[in-house]
Amino acid sequence: MFAALKPQAPDKILALMGEFKADTRQGKIDLGVGVYKDPTGLTPVMRAVKAAEKRIWEAETTKAYTALAGEPAYLAAMARMVLGDGLDAGRTASLSTVGGTGAIRQALELARLGNPGVTVHVSDPTWPNHLSIMQFMGVPFVEYRYFDDATRGVDFEGMKADLARAKQGDVVLLHGCCHNPTGANLTLDQWAEVSAILERTGAVPLIDLAYQGFGDGLEEDAAGTRLILSRAPEAMVAASCSKNFGIYRERTGVLMVQVEGAGARDVAQGTLAYLNRQNYSFPPDHGARIVQTILDDDGLTADWRAELEEVRLGMLALREQLAAELRDLTGTDRFDFVARHRGMFSRLGASPEQVRRIKEEAAIYMVGDSRLNIAGLNRDSVPVLARAIVDAGV
Ligand SMILES: Cc1ncc(COP(=O)(O)O)c(C=O)c1O
């Protein structure tokens, strides 16, 4: 049986991590993998997370199973955090998932159960896992224009024209904030226009919200999602706690599904629990419990928000510094988009050959499509990167 297996192509970003590790040059800089790092290069455990873990350890008396859909208090806390006052509990089913990735996977499973002929519309470019999961599942997808190579902003006219082709019962996959890999995001007015297109076409939005709190702020980053849900009869939101709580390895996410019509919520809720059962039965609990402990405690929430804000502002300062260095070195403002982008990533617009030169000549690692992780920088490495970008002729 196993002799028939074929080698799988390695994940490009994980392969890049291996290459970085093997590089013996002093001062090498890793801007590849999408993990937040502080100025010393560490991915710290957040203070509130440590405090919550201590409380959980002290109070926990059992490790018995919880609920198939996950701990209800966690689901309620996440619904409040993501949807705010817009939460319509009577229309929202939710599921605790294995990270944000698990939420996307379950969303696609649900969409396919609801409409076996579903086509998913994805941004070009998008997070490569979106595509590989759909390829693996055999879910058809088409790309919509998103990134304008010339301005490094959103090609909104192209996006609108392509989304207008969506059909009733299709799914439109949108990045809620901090678009990965480009860093280019929709304005609230543009979200409203997307919402109108969804309304006209009858396509169902699936919003991937993996970086809430990393862009313009916790509430601001959810504004597009809230606007869409306030208008759409049906919608899905796949949210991840990996980045904003810094609990990557705990695998904590949630899928929220907004439905319409009498009885629809209970059927959707039952279907979500069924999907967990078929795939892995009960979802992981520890990360969910950490998040719920923080969100249900005013003191811990305040401390977590403060630390998340430090993280966000730190990344914004690095963006400003990089844009300013490049302005000085080139005498132009053509790299100012770096300061306008939001989240952990920016797509630089360098060719694969330039990305290779930057790696070989300056020991700076970024993904082949020239996505760089801003959090991999610090005040000292920003000028080194700026110089390497200019030397490579970007
Ligand atoms: C766009 C996007 N969506 C979802 C995820 C899911 O993250 P996780 O499964 O680690 O929670 C990520 C993580 O890198 C991401 O970048």
Side-chain angles (χ1 to χ4, degrees):
M1 171 199 271
F2 300 125
L5 295 180
K6 294 186 190 69
Q8 299 293 334
D11 180 284
K12 285 198 182 106
I13 298 178
L14 298 184
L16 192 74
M17 268 168 87
E19 225 185 295
F20 178 79
K21 244 188 176 162
D23 191 331
T24 54
R25 285 177 287 178
Q26 285 285 322
K28 59 185 180 176
I29 300 169
D30 178 13
L31 306 181
V33 70
V35 170
Y36 171 75
K37 287 185 245 168
D38 69 14
T40 68
L42 285 176
T43 303
V45 181
M46 295 176 89
R47 295 184 300 262
V49 168
K50 270 283 183 214
E53 284 188 307
K54 187 158 179 278
R55 283 190 200 177
I56 293 165
W57 184 80
E58 282 166 356
E60 201 165 54
T61 53
T62 180
K63 293 280 187 190
Y65 294 123
T66 55
L68 256 189
E71 177 61 37
Y74 160 70
L75 296 171
M78 280 301 290
R80 282 196 305 275
M81 181 180 114
V82 173
L83 304 179
D85 294 338
L87 168 64
D88 187 345
R91 286 177 60 207
T92 311
S94 45
L95 187 72
S96 181
T97 57
V98 182
T101 309
I104 291 159
R105 170 71 192 239
Q106 300 293 50
L108 294 168
E109 297 274 12
L110 184 74
R112 193 163 57 177
L113 279 181
N115 175 14
V118 69
T119 292
V120 179
H121 300 251
V122 284
S123 64
D124 174 22
T126 192
W127 185 44
N129 268 15
H130 288 153
L131 305 181
S132 68
I133 291 171
M134 287 188 285
Q135 267 152 0
F136 180 74
M137 291 174 72
V139 171
F141 59 86
V142 291
E143 293 181 322
Y144 58 83
R145 276 170 284 171
Y146 186 79
F147 191 63
D148 183 337
D149 284 316
T151 63
R152 270 84 151 183
V154 177
D155 173 6
F156 194 56
E157 291 310 312
M159 178 180 183
K160 283 192 296 186
D162 290 350
L163 286 185
R165 299 182 314 207
K167 296 187 301 296
Q168 171 94 25
D170 280 355
V171 164
V172 172
L173 179 45
L174 299 153
H175 295 229
C177 65
C178 308
H179 186 269
N180 179 5
T182 67
N185 297 293
L186 299 179
T187 63
L188 208 51
D189 286 342
Q190 290 172 330
W191 277 105
E193 288 193 57
V194 170
S195 172
I197 296 173
L198 292 169
E199 208 176 314
R200 273 202 302 279
T201 57
V204 178
L206 163 54
I207 303 178
D208 179 351
L209 192 62
Y211 297 92
Q212 188 183 354
F214 268 39
D216 290 310
L218 206 57
E219 305 301 324
E220 293 82 348
D221 290 346
T225 302
R226 292 174 187 176
L227 187 147
I228 293 276
L229 265 72
S230 72
R231 298 181 185 179
E234 296 186 328
M236 297 182 279
V237 182
S240 166
C241 302
S242 301
K243 325 277 162 156
N244 48 12
F245 287 87
I247 51 172
Y248 303 81
R249 64 174 67 166
E250 301 298 351
R251 313 307 302 132
T252 310
V254 62
L255 171 63
M256 283 170 270
V257 181
Q258 177 166 292
V259 295
E260 194 183 38
R265 197 208 83 94
D266 290 349
V267 175
Q269 189 60 55
T271 310
L272 289 178
Y274 163 83
L275 284 176
N276 260 6
R277 181 131 193 95
Q278 304 321 307
N279 282 304
Y280 41 73
S281 195
F282 292 86
D285 180 70
H286 187 65
R289 210 161 280 271
I290 292 170
V291 168
Q292 180 247 318
T293 302
I294 294 172
L295 293 179
D296 283 347
D297 181 283
D298 288 346
L300 290 181
T301 297
D303 190 39
W304 166 68
R305 276 184 173 243
E307 193 170 354
L308 179 59
E309 195 60 2
E310 280 167 36
V311 163
R312 185 180 80 81
L313 294 176
M315 288 188 293
L316 273 184
L318 291 167
R319 288 187 175 282
E320 294 287 349
Q321 190 193 348
L322 181 57
E325 292 279 350
L326 286 162
R327 215 175 295 135
D328 284 352
L329 286 175
T330 62
T332 74
D333 59 4
R334 66 194 175 91
F335 288 102
D336 277 11
F337 64 85
V338 173
R340 285 194 298 273
H341 285 168
R342 284 294 178 274
M344 213 150 56
F345 307 115
S346 269
R347 178 181 267 201
L348 200 57
S351 67
E353 171 57 17
Q354 289 165 332
V355 170
R356 191 192 58 73
R357 269 190 70 184
I358 292 171
K359 182 173 75 182
E360 285 179 6
E361 291 169 15
I364 299 173
Y365 286 70
M366 62 180 90
V367 182
D369 64 359
S370 77
R371 181 192 87 169
L372 53 92
N373 177 5
I374 293 290
L377 293 165
N378 60 31
R379 292 197 63 78
D380 298 331
S381 58
V382 165
V384 182
L385 172 64
R387 167 56 51 208
I389 288 173
V390 172
D391 287 351
V394 180

